[in-house]
Amino acid sequence: MTRTTEGLGPELHAYVVAHSEPVDEVLADLAEETAELFPSYKGMQIGPEQGAFTTLLTRICGARDVVEVGTFTGYSSICLARGLPDGGTLLALDISDEWTSVARRYWERAGVADRITLTLGPALDSLRVLPREPLFDLAFLDADKEGYVAYWEELVPRLRPGGLVLADNTLSHGRVVDHDDTSAHVQGIRDFNDRLVADDRVTQVLLPVGDGLTLARRN
C-alpha cells in the first residue's frame, strides 16, 4: 500500500499500455501518421492509455451528447465516439482545417464519422453561440492552455447535472510547481486548476495520467 502515486518510467509505462485495452490498427496508424506529418506537434495527441480510459469512461457514464474542445488529428475524438451509444453525438471544435482533415479520414476508417460534427473556428466563439443550457453529458478539454478558464466557464453551464469534464495536460509536465516558470500556458493551467478547486458547482480530482488528467463532475 502507498499514499502516493508511483512515477512511470518508460518500462512501466509500456507495461501499463500493454495491460490496457489494446490499440487497434486505426489508432496505431493515426498516431504514426500524425508523428510523420506534424513532428513538432505530435505531443498534442493523447496517449494510448488515456484513449482507453476515455472510451471506457464515456461508456460508464452513459454519455449521449459530448463536446470536444481541441480535436487535433482526431485520436481523442475517435476514443470518445467509440464510447457513445447508437444515436450518440460528438461536437468537435478546432481551429485547424489542416489537422482536422487528417481526423476526418480516420473518423471514416474508424466507422464513427456519422456521430461527429466538426465546427472549425475559435472554440470559444463556437461554444458561445450554443444555447446556455444543459446540452452535454461529457466535455473533453484539450486546447490552448491560456484559454482553459474561459472554456471552463462556457462548458459548465452547458453540462447536464452529473455531467463530466475531462481536461488534459493539467500538470503541464510538472511545471505547475516550478515557480520560476511564468510562461502563459503554464500559468493558464495553474489558473484553471485553482479555479476548479474553488468552484462549488463541481467535484473534481486531478489524476496523474499522462500529463495530468482532471475529471470534474457537475453537481
Side-chain angles (χ1 to χ4, degrees):
M1 300 291 290
T2 179
R3 288 181 57 80
T4 61
T5 299
E6 299 288 345
L8 291 183
E11 186 176 0
L12 193 53
H13 177 259
Y15 184 88
V16 168
V17 172
H19 290 81
S20 300
E21 186 69 16
V23 175
D24 69 356
E25 184 178 19
V26 174
L27 290 177
D29 288 350
L30 174 54
E32 181 178 354
E33 183 172 346
T34 298
E36 291 174 354
L37 292 175
F38 312 111
S40 298
Y41 297 98
K42 63 183 180 181
M44 291 170 53
Q45 195 169 66
I46 65 171
E49 74 279 18
Q50 286 178 281
F53 176 76
T54 299
T55 300
L56 187 58
L57 183 67
T58 305
R59 289 176 180 159
I60 288 171
C61 74
R64 295 191 61 85
D65 299 296
V66 177
V67 60
E68 176 185 64
V69 182
T71 295
F72 191 37
T73 58
Y75 195 110
S76 55
S77 49
I78 290 173
C79 295
L80 290 163
R82 284 177 167 173
L84 293 172
D86 291 342
T89 66
L90 169 59
L91 175 61
L93 307 179
D94 203 278
I95 200 167
S96 172
D97 181 63
E98 182 181 17
W99 291 342
T100 55
S101 65
V102 178
R104 287 191 288 265
R105 286 194 285 107
Y106 278 89
W107 293 341
E108 291 288 347
R109 277 192 61 186
V112 297
D114 61 330
R115 304 178 182 186
I116 302 174
T117 299
L118 174 65
T119 299
L120 288 177
L124 201 57
D125 293 344
S126 299
L127 288 171
R128 284 173 173 164
V129 301
L130 297 173
R132 197 172 176 84
E133 61 188 45
L135 301 171
F136 301 109
D137 305 301
L138 175 64
F140 184 72
L141 176 56
D142 190 13
D144 58 289
K145 311 314 170 191
E146 298 92 329
Y148 265 36
V149 171
Y151 294 133
W152 174 257
E153 297 300 344
E154 297 302 326
L155 287 170
V156 174
R158 294 173 172 86
L159 277 181
R160 294 173 180 136
L164 304 177
V165 176
L166 274 176
D168 198 20
N169 303 116
T170 48
L171 290 179
S172 195
H173 301 287
R175 291 171 295 192
V176 287
V177 294
D178 179 359
H179 300 296
D180 293 329
D181 193 327
T182 58
S183 57
H185 56 281
V186 175
Q187 190 57 50
I189 291 295
R190 291 192 189 109
D191 293 343
F192 175 75
N193 292 339
D194 291 344
R195 176 69 184 98
L196 265 63
V197 169
D199 197 331
D200 60 8
R201 296 173 296 176
V202 300
T203 305
Q204 78 289 327
V205 59
L206 200 170
L207 301 168
V209 176
D211 181 32
L213 188 65
T214 292
L215 174 61
R217 179 184 183 273
R218 176 80 189 269
N219 296 330

